[in-house]
Amino acid sequence: MNVVNIGLIGAGTVGCGVIKVLGQNLDIIEKRTGIRIELKRIADIDPDRKRPVDIPKSLFTTDARELLDDSSISIVIELVGGTTVAKDIILGAIDKGKNVVTANKALLAHYGKELFAAARRKGVNIGFEASVGGGIPIIKAIKEGFVANKIISIHGIMNGTSNYILSRMTEEGKEFDDVLRQAQIEGYAEADPSFDIDGIDAAHKLSILIMLSFGIFLDFKKIYVEGIREITPIDISFADELGYKIKLLAIAKSKDGGIEAGVYPTLVQKETQIADVSGVFNAIYIVGDSVGPTMLYGMGAGMMPTASAVLSDVVQIAKNMETGDSHTSLPKLYNNKNSSFLIPMSEITTKYYLRFQVEDRPGVLGQITGCLGQNNISIESVIQKGRHLGGGEVPVVMMTHDAKERDLLSSLKAIDSLQVVKSKSIFIRIEEL
Amino acid sequence: MNVVNIGLIGAGTVGCGVIKVLGQNLDIIEKRTGIRIELKRIADIDPDRKRPVDIPKSLFTTDARELLDDSSISIVIELVGGTTVAKDIILGAIDKGKNVVTANKALLAHYGKELFAAARRKGVNIGFEASVGGGIPIIKAIKEGFVANKIISIHGIMNGTSNYILSRMTEEGKEFDDVLRQAQIEGYAEADPSFDIDGIDAAHKLSILIMLSFGIFLDFKKIYVEGIREITPIDISFADELGYKIKLLAIAKSKDGGIEAGVYPTLVQKETQIADVSGVFNAIYIVGDSVGPTMLYGMGAGMMPTASAVLSDVVQIAKNMETGDSHTSLPKLYNNKNSSFLIPMSEITTKYYLRFQVEDRPGVLGQITGCLGQNNISIESVIQKGRHLGGGEVPVVMMTHDAKERDLLSSLKAIDSLQVVKSKSIFIRIEEL
């Protein structure tokens, strides 16, 4: 039997999950792998806080350095979060020759390159399965399962809060603000929800999947990110009428030697698997050149699912240690292309959903289609409703054929300056899966 | 750079896929892993057959022993299929100290215990990701991703042919025989389709997932298997009316220290993720005690997806070899319970869809519900249609509450002996996911 001592830094929700899962499943892990995991020490700034699991007080310290200095601990689990203290902890652990397991997507998105380089130098591993998709084994799937594939595209629902809000807006026809407030009360959204609803969290995760799929760490600031604050029930309802749902997707597509990448709301056809991913669930739809289309689905967050992923990393590293290999599974950054690898959003080509708020009188449609036509944008379908005799404002909804985003933005600029157009025009990209 | 020589035995569809994927992606595999895979030799009884890839004739031999005797080859890919020659090849390769990669579910279902034991003795590995779910990395997910979970249940659509036939019957309202014939013409079903449509192939795969999830190789003959030949458009249509689809599922559930396991057609609610898995796609829905509900979806068969899985095993084994560990990833059979671990079907409890063909006259419903009631079966809903005045035969459809299968069979025996019942009553189990 191979005993592996681990230390846990950060005994919050996921940390308590790790302790709980170990309590439940230590024996079956040992039966399956021959590895016995011993939780040796826990560092947390508040040992006395009420927690959902019983933890012997003697395990606690308030000083993370105690764990790093404990030579019997070979794997440190970092669940502090954020990009400051957590970074110091991980670099400190690596420096002491310890392996690291982390769920910290923000940290990896910003400093992954540096952290992996440090780990490689020291010959230790960093496990980060829990950083994307909670309990879904997506890191392992891309890194190992699809290793013989060129990745063609990734479409991920990777933020449970946003998906929960959009799902409820769709089911209940309510405004964004109302659903957000409700989600906050129910604990599905943070008091400061920006990371989730503005797409930043999903972009962190996307940058990790891009690293694994394309061998490059993109400058995080260059990834296009657009959240769901501007999504309205009226657009959800028009999308529904057209056969679509609105989902916040994290997208990366291989195109002409580069990639298109971004996080933004999209229309996806109702019959697609990803359109059915509701509530707090996550799913990552990946197309590889040999495996074809695949999707992995599950709970993208939460105490127990995330702990499941953390412990799968612990076991994997413990196995590697057994054979004297603690770092060959570090991802390789083999792609030497510079940031030109990322195709600017202005250059992408896709279909668009457009909504214009216009004066309700003859000739308006002609003016709009004129602006679109002048910019090489052709229209696939139009919905025009609520026409009354006389004045008033009515929505006009269009779906375009494939168009270049630069052209679309030019046409919208022209359209928004028309006298008959009463407010800023709405565009939402359409993804065909 | 680490060069690994491989030998391929069986250059059929999947074998050609392996050659094709290597042609396309050898370089990216090397960039990602530092491993260069060299296809050293191919054994096939017919080197001259027309194939979808160009293969240098010099690679071919008709004698598999040549590969086994080639000491430069460290991994043998067995894609012969069947349970006779393939078994000899794999045992022969193991005996020579070679690692094995196989897609052969039938062989593993019948002789897995023996093959893994032989590999363990020799210190070599057997990779079998391609044996279940084609390109879907389900073996890796269960074995590594969910290692910290007790598996609560598995519901798999694991046979593309059956799912394709049921999907078309559902979409087109056609009879089983017509759709099967069409599927055979289109190449979606074999000339002898029995393995697929009678559930045997899915049961082979289920036994492998049970081995990984519960640490036991069940006696394959003891797994309950029922195919889709008896499914009719009328039952698909009634199921639809009740909010369900009919799917052939491979099921394993942890219950009271044992497991319920079997392959059979089931009613699943339309809103579930698995109900939307159409055509030749596969999906495996797994619930773990920490990860919660998950689903992996993708192409369950075919040249390229299966090759993707075969090569992921080759790379994994090559990595293990690099560190001198070629066998710790062999699954452990830690479960010492005997075949009593498998709960007999007569003891399972579930809801049932029932269809009776009865004489169209008063009192019939009372006779049927009487028989059910006497056997502790209570009814959730009834559909009775097509009532005419006078005689004639009409269908009566019922959904039961949870009932024990033994009780259900007793009641159906009584019902089928009633004079008013005109043909053998139909029952289909309902799965709530």
PDB file of all heavy atoms in Angstrom, chain A residues 24-25 32 140 144 147-150 276 289 295 297 308 323 325, chain B residues 24-25 32 140 144 147-150 213 276 289 295 297 308 323 325:
ATOM      1  N   GLN A  24     -16.067   9.537   2.887  1.00  0.00           N
ATOM      2  CA  GLN A  24     -16.956   8.532   2.287  1.00  0.00           C
ATOM      3  C   GLN A  24     -16.209   7.462   1.498  1.00  0.00           C
ATOM      4  O   GLN A  24     -16.601   6.306   1.493  1.00  0.00           O
ATOM      5  CB  GLN A  24     -17.916   9.210   1.289  1.00  0.00           C
ATOM      6  CG  GLN A  24     -19.042   9.970   1.916  1.00  0.00           C
ATOM      7  CD  GLN A  24     -19.895  10.732   0.903  1.00  0.00           C
ATOM      8  OE1 GLN A  24     -20.547  11.683   1.259  1.00  0.00           O
ATOM      9  NE2 GLN A  24     -19.867  10.344  -0.365  1.00  0.00           N
ATOM     10  N   ASN A  25     -15.165   7.888   0.772  1.00  0.00           N
ATOM     11  CA  ASN A  25     -14.649   7.020  -0.293  1.00  0.00           C
ATOM     12  C   ASN A  25     -13.162   6.684  -0.219  1.00  0.00           C
ATOM     13  O   ASN A  25     -12.599   6.175  -1.181  1.00  0.00           O
ATOM     14  CB  ASN A  25     -14.974   7.658  -1.654  1.00  0.00           C
ATOM     15  CG  ASN A  25     -16.471   7.671  -1.927  1.00  0.00           C
ATOM     16  OD1 ASN A  25     -17.206   6.873  -1.352  1.00  0.00           O
ATOM     17  ND2 ASN A  25     -16.906   8.575  -2.772  1.00  0.00           N
ATOM     18  N   ARG A  32      -9.345   0.551  -5.443  1.00  0.00           N
ATOM     19  CA  ARG A  32      -9.193   0.699  -6.891  1.00  0.00           C
ATOM     20  C   ARG A  32      -7.758   0.950  -7.318  1.00  0.00           C
ATOM     21  O   ARG A  32      -7.364   0.619  -8.434  1.00  0.00           O
ATOM     22  CB  ARG A  32     -10.057   1.865  -7.390  1.00  0.00           C
ATOM     23  CG  ARG A  32     -11.522   1.554  -7.429  1.00  0.00           C
ATOM     24  CD  ARG A  32     -12.328   2.800  -7.782  1.00  0.00           C
ATOM     25  NE  ARG A  32     -13.740   2.475  -7.874  1.00  0.00           N
ATOM     26  CZ  ARG A  32     -14.715   3.354  -7.717  1.00  0.00           C
ATOM     27  NH1 ARG A  32     -14.438   4.626  -7.480  1.00  0.00           N
ATOM     28  NH2 ARG A  32     -15.977   2.984  -7.816  1.00  0.00           N
ATOM     29  N   LYS A 140      -8.949  15.939 -18.510  1.00  0.00           N
ATOM     30  CA  LYS A 140      -8.455  14.604 -18.866  1.00  0.00           C
ATOM     31  C   LYS A 140      -8.916  14.210 -20.264  1.00  0.00           C
ATOM     32  O   LYS A 140      -8.147  13.619 -21.034  1.00  0.00           O
ATOM     33  CB  LYS A 140      -8.977  13.614 -17.823  1.00  0.00           C
ATOM     34  CG  LYS A 140      -8.278  12.296 -17.805  1.00  0.00           C
ATOM     35  CD  LYS A 140      -8.761  11.434 -16.643  1.00  0.00           C
ATOM     36  CE  LYS A 140      -8.003  11.671 -15.359  1.00  0.00           C
ATOM     37  NZ  LYS A 140      -6.585  11.291 -15.453  1.00  0.00           N
ATOM     38  N   GLU A 144      -5.862  13.762 -22.682  1.00  0.00           N
ATOM     39  CA  GLU A 144      -5.525  12.349 -22.888  1.00  0.00           C
ATOM     40  C   GLU A 144      -6.497  11.667 -23.851  1.00  0.00           C
ATOM     41  O   GLU A 144      -6.075  11.005 -24.789  1.00  0.00           O
ATOM     42  CB  GLU A 144      -5.506  11.632 -21.534  1.00  0.00           C
ATOM     43  CG  GLU A 144      -4.512  12.268 -20.567  1.00  0.00           C
ATOM     44  CD  GLU A 144      -4.614  11.740 -19.143  1.00  0.00           C
ATOM     45  OE1 GLU A 144      -5.296  10.726 -18.913  1.00  0.00           O
ATOM     46  OE2 GLU A 144      -3.994  12.369 -18.239  1.00  0.00           O
ATOM     47  N   VAL A 147      -6.102  13.079 -27.371  1.00  0.00           N
ATOM     48  CA  VAL A 147      -4.704  13.431 -27.682  1.00  0.00           C
ATOM     49  C   VAL A 147      -4.377  13.208 -29.162  1.00  0.00           C
ATOM     50  O   VAL A 147      -3.511  13.896 -29.715  1.00  0.00           O
ATOM     51  CB  VAL A 147      -3.733  12.649 -26.766  1.00  0.00           C
ATOM     52  CG1 VAL A 147      -3.747  11.153 -27.086  1.00  0.00           C
ATOM     53  CG2 VAL A 147      -2.325  13.194 -26.836  1.00  0.00           C
ATOM     54  N   ALA A 148      -5.098  12.294 -29.810  1.00  0.00           N
ATOM     55  CA  ALA A 148      -4.821  12.003 -31.219  1.00  0.00           C
ATOM     56  C   ALA A 148      -5.701  12.823 -32.164  1.00  0.00           C
ATOM     57  O   ALA A 148      -5.887  12.457 -33.317  1.00  0.00           O
ATOM     58  CB  ALA A 148      -5.005  10.503 -31.479  1.00  0.00           C
ATOM     59  N   ASN A 149      -6.236  13.923 -31.668  1.00  0.00           N
ATOM     60  CA  ASN A 149      -7.115  14.774 -32.475  1.00  0.00           C
ATOM     61  C   ASN A 149      -6.562  16.176 -32.648  1.00  0.00           C
ATOM     62  O   ASN A 149      -6.032  16.751 -31.699  1.00  0.00           O
ATOM     63  CB  ASN A 149      -8.478  14.956 -31.777  1.00  0.00           C
ATOM     64  CG  ASN A 149      -9.356  13.736 -31.879  1.00  0.00           C
ATOM     65  OD1 ASN A 149     -10.249  13.669 -32.708  1.00  0.00           O
ATOM     66  ND2 ASN A 149      -9.085  12.748 -31.034  1.00  0.00           N
ATOM     67  N   LYS A 150      -6.732  16.728 -33.832  1.00  0.00           N
ATOM     68  CA  LYS A 150      -6.710  18.180 -33.934  1.00  0.00           C
ATOM     69  C   LYS A 150      -8.077  18.653 -33.467  1.00  0.00           C
ATOM     70  O   LYS A 150      -9.099  18.157 -33.939  1.00  0.00           O
ATOM     71  CB  LYS A 150      -6.452  18.616 -35.372  1.00  0.00           C
ATOM     72  CG  LYS A 150      -5.043  18.325 -35.841  1.00  0.00           C
ATOM     73  CD  LYS A 150      -4.725  19.067 -37.130  1.00  0.00           C
ATOM     74  CE  LYS A 150      -3.404  18.588 -37.686  1.00  0.00           C
ATOM     75  NZ  LYS A 150      -3.563  17.292 -38.441  1.00  0.00           N
ATOM     76  N   ASP A 276     -30.141  21.971 -24.585  1.00  0.00           N
ATOM     77  CA  ASP A 276     -30.892  21.334 -23.501  1.00  0.00           C
ATOM     78  C   ASP A 276     -30.168  21.357 -22.165  1.00  0.00           C
ATOM     79  O   ASP A 276     -30.646  20.767 -21.201  1.00  0.00           O
ATOM     80  CB  ASP A 276     -31.159  19.865 -23.862  1.00  0.00           C
ATOM     81  CG  ASP A 276     -32.370  19.744 -24.756  1.00  0.00           C
ATOM     82  OD1 ASP A 276     -33.188  20.673 -24.752  1.00  0.00           O
ATOM     83  OD2 ASP A 276     -32.480  18.721 -25.459  1.00  0.00           O
ATOM     84  N   ASP A 289     -10.904  16.203 -35.031  1.00  0.00           N
ATOM     85  CA  ASP A 289     -10.882  15.750 -36.428  1.00  0.00           C
ATOM     86  C   ASP A 289     -11.022  14.246 -36.562  1.00  0.00           C
ATOM     87  O   ASP A 289     -11.472  13.772 -37.600  1.00  0.00           O
ATOM     88  CB  ASP A 289      -9.642  16.278 -37.172  1.00  0.00           C
ATOM     89  CG  ASP A 289      -8.345  15.636 -36.709  1.00  0.00           C
ATOM     90  OD1 ASP A 289      -8.302  15.049 -35.616  1.00  0.00           O
ATOM     91  OD2 ASP A 289      -7.345  15.740 -37.457  1.00  0.00           O
ATOM     92  N   MET A 295     -19.745  15.446 -26.431  1.00  0.00           N
ATOM     93  CA  MET A 295     -20.148  16.393 -25.387  1.00  0.00           C
ATOM     94  C   MET A 295     -19.991  15.754 -24.022  1.00  0.00           C
ATOM     95  O   MET A 295     -20.326  14.594 -23.831  1.00  0.00           O
ATOM     96  CB  MET A 295     -21.582  16.871 -25.587  1.00  0.00           C
ATOM     97  CG  MET A 295     -21.910  18.081 -24.712  1.00  0.00           C
ATOM     98  SD  MET A 295     -23.570  18.753 -24.999  1.00  0.00           S
ATOM     99  CE  MET A 295     -24.489  17.815 -23.785  1.00  0.00           C
ATOM    100  N   TYR A 297     -21.041  16.423 -20.013  1.00  0.00           N
ATOM    101  CA  TYR A 297     -22.104  17.135 -19.305  1.00  0.00           C
ATOM    102  C   TYR A 297     -22.046  16.790 -17.821  1.00  0.00           C
ATOM    103  O   TYR A 297     -21.752  15.649 -17.465  1.00  0.00           O
ATOM    104  CB  TYR A 297     -23.421  16.667 -19.925  1.00  0.00           C
ATOM    105  CG  TYR A 297     -24.696  16.994 -19.191  1.00  0.00           C
ATOM    106  CD1 TYR A 297     -25.372  18.175 -19.456  1.00  0.00           C
ATOM    107  CD2 TYR A 297     -25.233  16.111 -18.258  1.00  0.00           C
ATOM    108  CE1 TYR A 297     -26.570  18.469 -18.809  1.00  0.00           C
ATOM    109  CE2 TYR A 297     -26.427  16.396 -17.604  1.00  0.00           C
ATOM    110  CZ  TYR A 297     -27.096  17.578 -17.888  1.00  0.00           C
ATOM    111  OH  TYR A 297     -28.269  17.872 -17.252  1.00  0.00           O
ATOM    112  N   SER A 308     -14.774  15.899  -6.240  1.00  0.00           N
ATOM    113  CA  SER A 308     -14.549  14.685  -7.034  1.00  0.00           C
ATOM    114  C   SER A 308     -13.396  14.897  -8.014  1.00  0.00           C
ATOM    115  O   SER A 308     -12.518  14.041  -8.166  1.00  0.00           O
ATOM    116  CB  SER A 308     -15.843  14.337  -7.789  1.00  0.00           C
ATOM    117  OG  SER A 308     -15.629  13.340  -8.755  1.00  0.00           O
ATOM    118  N   THR A 323       5.506   5.710  -9.604  1.00  0.00           N
ATOM    119  CA  THR A 323       6.416   5.242 -10.645  1.00  0.00           C
ATOM    120  C   THR A 323       7.547   6.237 -10.881  1.00  0.00           C
ATOM    121  O   THR A 323       8.295   6.125 -11.845  1.00  0.00           O
ATOM    122  CB  THR A 323       5.660   5.042 -11.965  1.00  0.00           C
ATOM    123  OG1 THR A 323       5.103   6.301 -12.355  1.00  0.00           O
ATOM    124  CG2 THR A 323       4.564   4.023 -11.814  1.00  0.00           C
ATOM    125  N   ASP A 325       7.297   9.296 -11.694  1.00  0.00           N
ATOM    126  CA  ASP A 325       6.996  10.288 -12.725  1.00  0.00           C
ATOM    127  C   ASP A 325       5.995  11.272 -12.167  1.00  0.00           C
ATOM    128  O   ASP A 325       4.827  10.967 -12.042  1.00  0.00           O
ATOM    129  CB  ASP A 325       6.385   9.615 -13.945  1.00  0.00           C
ATOM    130  CG  ASP A 325       5.693  10.622 -14.846  1.00  0.00           C
ATOM    131  OD1 ASP A 325       6.202  11.753 -14.955  1.00  0.00           O
ATOM    132  OD2 ASP A 325       4.651  10.280 -15.428  1.00  0.00           O
TER     133      ASP A 325
ATOM    134  N   GLN B  24      -2.514  11.787 -40.192  1.00  0.00           N
ATOM    135  CA  GLN B  24      -2.921  13.181 -39.986  1.00  0.00           C
ATOM    136  C   GLN B  24      -2.265  13.828 -38.772  1.00  0.00           C
ATOM    137  O   GLN B  24      -1.949  15.017 -38.802  1.00  0.00           O
ATOM    138  CB  GLN B  24      -4.436  13.254 -39.736  1.00  0.00           C
ATOM    139  CG  GLN B  24      -5.308  13.080 -40.944  1.00  0.00           C
ATOM    140  CD  GLN B  24      -6.800  13.030 -40.618  1.00  0.00           C
ATOM    141  OE1 GLN B  24      -7.572  12.489 -41.390  1.00  0.00           O
ATOM    142  NE2 GLN B  24      -7.218  13.574 -39.475  1.00  0.00           N
ATOM    143  N   ASN B  25      -2.132  13.051 -37.692  1.00  0.00           N
ATOM    144  CA  ASN B  25      -1.869  13.677 -36.394  1.00  0.00           C
ATOM    145  C   ASN B  25      -0.622  13.197 -35.652  1.00  0.00           C
ATOM    146  O   ASN B  25      -0.445  13.503 -34.474  1.00  0.00           O
ATOM    147  CB  ASN B  25      -3.099  13.513 -35.489  1.00  0.00           C
ATOM    148  CG  ASN B  25      -4.291  14.292 -36.014  1.00  0.00           C
ATOM    149  OD1 ASN B  25      -4.119  15.254 -36.766  1.00  0.00           O
ATOM    150  ND2 ASN B  25      -5.482  13.888 -35.660  1.00  0.00           N
ATOM    151  N   ARG B  32       2.517  17.250 -28.351  1.00  0.00           N
ATOM    152  CA  ARG B  32       1.813  17.264 -27.060  1.00  0.00           C
ATOM    153  C   ARG B  32       2.477  16.368 -26.024  1.00  0.00           C
ATOM    154  O   ARG B  32       2.376  16.630 -24.829  1.00  0.00           O
ATOM    155  CB  ARG B  32       0.365  16.786 -27.261  1.00  0.00           C
ATOM    156  CG  ARG B  32      -0.515  17.812 -27.923  1.00  0.00           C
ATOM    157  CD  ARG B  32      -1.884  17.207 -28.209  1.00  0.00           C
ATOM    158  NE  ARG B  32      -2.768  18.212 -28.789  1.00  0.00           N
ATOM    159  CZ  ARG B  32      -3.804  17.930 -29.569  1.00  0.00           C
ATOM    160  NH1 ARG B  32      -4.108  16.677 -29.837  1.00  0.00           N
ATOM    161  NH2 ARG B  32      -4.545  18.898 -30.057  1.00  0.00           N
ATOM    162  N   LYS B 140     -11.655   5.996 -19.400  1.00  0.00           N
ATOM    163  CA  LYS B 140     -10.815   6.916 -18.641  1.00  0.00           C
ATOM    164  C   LYS B 140     -11.644   7.704 -17.622  1.00  0.00           C
ATOM    165  O   LYS B 140     -11.207   7.930 -16.494  1.00  0.00           O
ATOM    166  CB  LYS B 140     -10.154   7.878 -19.638  1.00  0.00           C
ATOM    167  CG  LYS B 140      -8.967   8.616 -19.110  1.00  0.00           C
ATOM    168  CD  LYS B 140      -8.291   9.423 -20.202  1.00  0.00           C
ATOM    169  CE  LYS B 140      -7.245   8.656 -20.958  1.00  0.00           C
ATOM    170  NZ  LYS B 140      -6.097   8.260 -20.123  1.00  0.00           N
ATOM    171  N   GLU B 144     -10.516   6.906 -13.978  1.00  0.00           N
ATOM    172  CA  GLU B 144      -9.672   7.963 -13.411  1.00  0.00           C
ATOM    173  C   GLU B 144     -10.490   9.183 -12.981  1.00  0.00           C
ATOM    174  O   GLU B 144     -10.339   9.680 -11.876  1.00  0.00           O
ATOM    175  CB  GLU B 144      -8.610   8.360 -14.444  1.00  0.00           C
ATOM    176  CG  GLU B 144      -7.756   7.156 -14.851  1.00  0.00           C
ATOM    177  CD  GLU B 144      -6.828   7.444 -16.028  1.00  0.00           C
ATOM    178  OE1 GLU B 144      -6.662   8.613 -16.405  1.00  0.00           O
ATOM    179  OE2 GLU B 144      -6.275   6.473 -16.584  1.00  0.00           O
ATOM    180  N   VAL B 147     -12.729   8.308 -10.015  1.00  0.00           N
ATOM    181  CA  VAL B 147     -12.096   7.347  -9.092  1.00  0.00           C
ATOM    182  C   VAL B 147     -12.506   7.589  -7.636  1.00  0.00           C
ATOM    183  O   VAL B 147     -12.524   6.667  -6.831  1.00  0.00           O
ATOM    184  CB  VAL B 147     -10.549   7.387  -9.260  1.00  0.00           C
ATOM    185  CG1 VAL B 147      -9.975   8.719  -8.780  1.00  0.00           C
ATOM    186  CG2 VAL B 147      -9.880   6.225  -8.548  1.00  0.00           C
ATOM    187  N   ALA B 148     -12.866   8.841  -7.310  1.00  0.00           N
ATOM    188  CA  ALA B 148     -13.234   9.163  -5.930  1.00  0.00           C
ATOM    189  C   ALA B 148     -14.743   9.068  -5.702  1.00  0.00           C
ATOM    190  O   ALA B 148     -15.273   9.644  -4.759  1.00  0.00           O
ATOM    191  CB  ALA B 148     -12.738  10.566  -5.569  1.00  0.00           C
ATOM    192  N   ASN B 149     -15.422   8.328  -6.567  1.00  0.00           N
ATOM    193  CA  ASN B 149     -16.874   8.181  -6.454  1.00  0.00           C
ATOM    194  C   ASN B 149     -17.289   6.734  -6.239  1.00  0.00           C
ATOM    195  O   ASN B 149     -16.735   5.835  -6.865  1.00  0.00           O
ATOM    196  CB  ASN B 149     -17.566   8.619  -7.759  1.00  0.00           C
ATOM    197  CG  ASN B 149     -17.604  10.111  -7.929  1.00  0.00           C
ATOM    198  OD1 ASN B 149     -18.625  10.739  -7.664  1.00  0.00           O
ATOM    199  ND2 ASN B 149     -16.494  10.690  -8.357  1.00  0.00           N
ATOM    200  N   LYS B 150     -18.292   6.533  -5.399  1.00  0.00           N
ATOM    201  CA  LYS B 150     -19.061   5.301  -5.519  1.00  0.00           C
ATOM    202  C   LYS B 150     -20.020   5.523  -6.687  1.00  0.00           C
ATOM    203  O   LYS B 150     -20.708   6.545  -6.737  1.00  0.00           O
ATOM    204  CB  LYS B 150     -19.846   5.024  -4.243  1.00  0.00           C
ATOM    205  CG  LYS B 150     -18.954   4.629  -3.085  1.00  0.00           C
ATOM    206  CD  LYS B 150     -19.761   4.047  -1.938  1.00  0.00           C
ATOM    207  CE  LYS B 150     -18.869   3.853  -0.725  1.00  0.00           C
ATOM    208  NZ  LYS B 150     -18.700   5.155   0.035  1.00  0.00           N
ATOM    209  N   SER B 213     -16.566   0.055 -12.587  1.00  0.00           N
ATOM    210  CA  SER B 213     -17.325   0.792 -11.574  1.00  0.00           C
ATOM    211  C   SER B 213     -17.407   0.038 -10.256  1.00  0.00           C
ATOM    212  O   SER B 213     -17.408   0.651  -9.188  1.00  0.00           O
ATOM    213  CB  SER B 213     -18.746   1.057 -12.071  1.00  0.00           C
ATOM    214  OG  SER B 213     -18.720   1.771 -13.283  1.00  0.00           O
ATOM    215  N   ASP B 276     -32.601  12.575 -25.893  1.00  0.00           N
ATOM    216  CA  ASP B 276     -32.242  13.339 -27.091  1.00  0.00           C
ATOM    217  C   ASP B 276     -31.067  12.750 -27.856  1.00  0.00           C
ATOM    218  O   ASP B 276     -30.614  13.340 -28.832  1.00  0.00           O
ATOM    219  CB  ASP B 276     -31.870  14.773 -26.694  1.00  0.00           C
ATOM    220  CG  ASP B 276     -33.101  15.623 -26.518  1.00  0.00           C
ATOM    221  OD1 ASP B 276     -34.144  15.252 -27.081  1.00  0.00           O
ATOM    222  OD2 ASP B 276     -33.021  16.645 -25.819  1.00  0.00           O
ATOM    223  N   ASP B 289     -21.526   9.284  -6.415  1.00  0.00           N
ATOM    224  CA  ASP B 289     -21.993   9.856  -5.141  1.00  0.00           C
ATOM    225  C   ASP B 289     -21.396  11.226  -4.862  1.00  0.00           C
ATOM    226  O   ASP B 289     -21.993  12.030  -4.150  1.00  0.00           O
ATOM    227  CB  ASP B 289     -21.772   8.900  -3.956  1.00  0.00           C
ATOM    228  CG  ASP B 289     -20.315   8.711  -3.592  1.00  0.00           C
ATOM    229  OD1 ASP B 289     -19.432   9.022  -4.427  1.00  0.00           O
ATOM    230  OD2 ASP B 289     -20.042   8.241  -2.478  1.00  0.00           O
ATOM    231  N   MET B 295     -22.943  13.098 -18.076  1.00  0.00           N
ATOM    232  CA  MET B 295     -23.183  12.337 -19.301  1.00  0.00           C
ATOM    233  C   MET B 295     -22.054  12.587 -20.292  1.00  0.00           C
ATOM    234  O   MET B 295     -21.603  13.719 -20.456  1.00  0.00           O
ATOM    235  CB  MET B 295     -24.527  12.696 -19.929  1.00  0.00           C
ATOM    236  CG  MET B 295     -24.938  11.699 -21.016  1.00  0.00           C
ATOM    237  SD  MET B 295     -26.575  12.019 -21.727  1.00  0.00           S
ATOM    238  CE  MET B 295     -26.127  13.106 -23.073  1.00  0.00           C
ATOM    239  N   TYR B 297     -21.097  11.958 -24.327  1.00  0.00           N
ATOM    240  CA  TYR B 297     -21.843  11.785 -25.569  1.00  0.00           C
ATOM    241  C   TYR B 297     -20.883  11.821 -26.742  1.00  0.00           C
ATOM    242  O   TYR B 297     -19.913  12.584 -26.721  1.00  0.00           O
ATOM    243  CB  TYR B 297     -22.837  12.946 -25.636  1.00  0.00           C
ATOM    244  CG  TYR B 297     -23.515  13.201 -26.947  1.00  0.00           C
ATOM    245  CD1 TYR B 297     -24.738  12.595 -27.238  1.00  0.00           C
ATOM    246  CD2 TYR B 297     -22.977  14.075 -27.890  1.00  0.00           C
ATOM    247  CE1 TYR B 297     -25.395  12.860 -28.433  1.00  0.00           C
ATOM    248  CE2 TYR B 297     -23.636  14.336 -29.084  1.00  0.00           C
ATOM    249  CZ  TYR B 297     -24.840  13.724 -29.350  1.00  0.00           C
ATOM    250  OH  TYR B 297     -25.477  13.978 -30.526  1.00  0.00           O
ATOM    251  N   SER B 308      -9.486   7.136 -32.761  1.00  0.00           N
ATOM    252  CA  SER B 308      -9.115   8.164 -31.780  1.00  0.00           C
ATOM    253  C   SER B 308      -8.914   7.538 -30.399  1.00  0.00           C
ATOM    254  O   SER B 308      -7.936   7.835 -29.696  1.00  0.00           O
ATOM    255  CB  SER B 308     -10.211   9.239 -31.736  1.00  0.00           C
ATOM    256  OG  SER B 308     -10.042  10.110 -30.653  1.00  0.00           O
ATOM    257  N   THR B 323       8.114   5.945 -18.104  1.00  0.00           N
ATOM    258  CA  THR B 323       8.462   6.031 -16.690  1.00  0.00           C
ATOM    259  C   THR B 323       8.626   4.642 -16.072  1.00  0.00           C
ATOM    260  O   THR B 323       8.715   4.517 -14.863  1.00  0.00           O
ATOM    261  CB  THR B 323       7.364   6.796 -15.916  1.00  0.00           C
ATOM    262  OG1 THR B 323       6.139   6.077 -16.075  1.00  0.00           O
ATOM    263  CG2 THR B 323       7.208   8.192 -16.445  1.00  0.00           C
ATOM    264  N   ASP B 325       6.499   2.289 -15.974  1.00  0.00           N
ATOM    265  CA  ASP B 325       5.274   1.753 -15.400  1.00  0.00           C
ATOM    266  C   ASP B 325       4.353   1.342 -16.529  1.00  0.00           C
ATOM    267  O   ASP B 325       3.735   2.175 -17.161  1.00  0.00           O
ATOM    268  CB  ASP B 325       4.571   2.815 -14.575  1.00  0.00           C
ATOM    269  CG  ASP B 325       3.128   2.422 -14.300  1.00  0.00           C
ATOM    270  OD1 ASP B 325       2.867   1.222 -14.125  1.00  0.00           O
ATOM    271  OD2 ASP B 325       2.267   3.326 -14.272  1.00  0.00           O
TER     272      ASP B 325
END
